[in-house]
Amino acid sequence: MPSSAVSSSAASPYGNYAYAVLTANALRTPDKVALTYCGKRSFTYDELNRLVNRRANALAAAGVRPGQRVAALLNETLKVAEVYLAQAKLGAVTAALNPYWPVETLRAVVEHSGADTFLYDATVEEVAGQIRPGLPGVTTWIDVADLSESESSDAEPPVGGAGDDPLALYYTSGTTGLPKAVIHTHASSLATAQIWLDVPRSPDSVFGTGAIIWGIGFPAIVGPALYAGMRLVLEQDWGPANFLRVVPRERVSHVSQIPSFYAALLGSDDHASADLSPLRVIMLGGEPLTGSLLGRIKERLPDAGVYSYYGQTEAPYTCVGRVDDGSTPLGSSGRARTGCAVRITDPSGNRVVGQVGEINLAGPHRMAGYDRLPDKTAEVLRGDWYVGGDLGTLSEDGVLNVLGRREDSILKGGQWTQPSVIEEAATAVEDVAEAGAVGVPAHVEGEDAVEQRVILAVVSRSGHSVDPAKLALALAESLPERQRPDHIVVTEELPHFQDASGGPGKLLRREIRDRYAPLLPPPPSP
């Protein structure tokens, strides 16, 4: 750790994430309840701070030092809170592992992280034993139960990191290769902790959450609740059944979930007798919220404000907006929250408004980069902006509408188009049962190499046939030139993922591209 960070943190410990999130509240409101665990244990801010101090001092006694990388494989929510905060106070860098990764992935990620110490809890003890022989570089293995039994002091440990010092490695859920390690600092995590500055709360607000708080869930969920002085309700299970028990018992007022949770919750009558009246703020993200589902949520929870949000592991909770009162259009993700910024850029990197382009995110909450991946970091960090591959539009008054991934989009005529736009136009034609649109390079090389031709693969309805020429004429009437297919292929079926029940799942556009692009005439030189 740089010596400047040591002197800075010594002068002002409030630059340390755990000190600012927890200790400050222990000094401000020591007797207020900070955390409730599974309805069985409860801690005031002072008690939780002293508990974290004991864990930090026990870790220090075990040799954990500022700047050291420590892999943490934890699934007990209370242990996650204790250990992540304790390591933050020490200035150790937590490699926050996903307990649901395969053993091979865990081993590879730990090796890549450079961690020489490994922490684990009772729920993952067997997995830790399986990967241990393959990690000779990890010289210290600590069962967190041993920390609980330690008689270490509950005095404040020396603050070992602050500001731009690395706090943790939080991992992306990439679909190819190893998950990328996103470096967040004390400063960026504290900026994320300020979420509730833009969302109403009261001195009695209670934030409830379940098991998935390891990784980015910690600074995006646990940290903000504690930073705001709320009571944090931690559970191991946050499925609909336990949710219906916990909300009335703990008077939970604030939650952050995905829309599908409420589709499941309201899909049966189990919720009818539960007292859900304490709920006041429902944050929803990660997938689209439909008007019909919003209507069902408001019918059941009329006093709850429903908010949409958008962010990524690299820049959490950048945009927030309330959708149930009309202040943010349904389908949008709101405006950039206080201290953050969002813009849309075209393929040339120019800012655009009201036009589809790449989403750029900026603010003090943005990651420092990908660990040990300078090329990947350079791809996505452009000056102050993080450009992660999502497409969207931005209204004149700054409301963001997220459309999807750039890799699925089609670039023609200098503008991006989501495949769904072309597919919906095709399936509106009477003879077409299903459609899949993809883009392939329009030129062999040159400045226009990013320009694409559009392939549209369609399946005809039973008992009907599709004439590609007639379909092209129909689409010419409903689509602008930049969205019209250059080649139409009629096929018996389109490739899909198979879901858990064996039925068709998400459309495999990559396979459509691989299957039909070779049939096209070679692209001309520009």
Side-chain angles (χ1 to χ4, degrees), residues 53-369:
N53 288 345
R54 286 195 293 273
R55 301 293 179 261
N57 288 319
L59 286 168
V64 175
R65 59 196 181 277
Q68 180 181 4
R69 294 182 170 210
V70 178
L73 183 64
L74 306 168
N75 202 27
E76 296 180 51
T77 54
L78 181 58
K79 300 301 183 187
V80 172
E82 293 175 14
V83 171
Y84 281 24
L85 289 168
Q87 296 215 130
K89 286 199 174 188
L90 294 178
V93 181
T94 299
L97 306 178
N98 182 337
Y100 296 97
W101 279 335
V103 169
E104 296 77 11
T105 301
L106 280 169
R107 184 184 295 112
V109 167
V110 174
E111 184 176 23
H112 186 269
S113 74
D116 60 11
T117 299
F118 192 103
L119 302 176
Y120 60 93
D121 64 32
T123 67
V124 294
E125 184 175 5
E126 182 178 346
V127 174
Q130 291 175 0
I131 65 175
R132 184 168 184 168
L135 293 170
V138 178
T139 55
T140 303
W141 295 76
I142 300 176
D143 183 339
V144 295
D146 295 336
L147 301 178
S148 303
E149 297 172 0
S150 169
E151 297 181 359
S152 297
S153 168
D154 63 5
E156 290 288 339
V159 174
D164 292 333
D165 293 329
L167 171 71
L169 306 179
Y170 300 120
Y171 292 86
T172 64
S173 55
T175 55
T176 59
L178 281 182
K180 295 188 294 292
V182 175
I183 303 172
H184 272 289
T185 64
H186 288 260
S188 69
S189 298
L190 279 174
T192 296
Q194 297 170 14
I195 292 167
W196 300 115
L197 294 179
D198 292 87
V199 179
R201 72 182 193 281
S202 73
D204 298 323
S205 294
V206 178
F207 190 97
T209 190
I212 306 179
I213 62 164
W214 33 259
I216 197 63
F218 188 83
I221 293 178
V222 173
L226 294 176
Y227 185 85
M230 303 167 85
R231 177 161 65 91
L232 175 65
V233 172
L234 289 182
E235 295 287 319
Q236 285 300 125
D237 171 17
W238 204 229
N242 199 42
F243 180 87
L244 294 175
R245 290 189 289 267
V246 175
V247 170
R249 186 188 75 211
E250 302 292 347
R251 311 301 293 172
V252 172
S253 61
H254 288 56
V255 292
S256 180
Q257 294 151 315
I258 61 175
S260 296
F261 176 88
Y262 287 90
L265 180 74
L266 304 177
S268 73
D269 295 330
D270 295 344
H271 66 88
S273 60
D275 178 13
L276 301 181
S277 62
L279 288 171
R280 287 293 179 270
V281 171
I282 299 172
M283 298 275 279
L284 298 175
E287 60 187 24
L289 171 63
T290 64
S292 59
L293 181 56
L294 175 60
R296 292 167 61 197
I297 293 172
K298 290 300 295 183
E299 182 180 1
R300 179 62 178 86
L301 302 165
D303 296 325
V306 181
Y307 293 76
S308 288
Y309 69 86
Y310 171 76
Q312 294 180 292
T313 299
E314 293 85 346
Y317 282 104
T318 301
C319 296
V320 176
R322 184 168 178 176
V323 296
D324 65 301
D325 66 352
S327 57
T328 297
L330 182 64
S332 299
S333 299
R335 297 171 177 84
R337 62 184 178 88
T338 304
C340 302
V342 60
R343 71 176 183 181
I344 301 295
T345 53
D346 65 16
S348 299
N350 302 310
R351 179 178 179 270
V352 295
V353 175
Q355 179 179 316
V356 176
E358 287 190 288
I359 299 174
N360 296 220
L361 307 175
H365 67 316
R366 196 202 71 181
M367 71 167 182

Side-chain angles (χ1 to χ4, degrees), residues 392-441:
T393 61
L394 198 68
S395 67
E396 291 186 358
D397 58 349
V399 175
L400 176 68
N401 185 27
V402 181
L403 298 177
R405 297 294 295 169
R406 182 183 60 198
E407 62 196 33
D408 290 331
S409 299
I410 298 168
L411 180 60
K412 183 181 178 183
Q415 295 186 41
W416 278 291
T417 295
Q418 287 301 105
S420 59
V421 174
I422 303 171
E423 293 160 359
E424 287 173 9
T427 54
V429 176
E430 182 179 2
D431 294 331
V432 178
E434 187 181 13
V438 297
V440 297

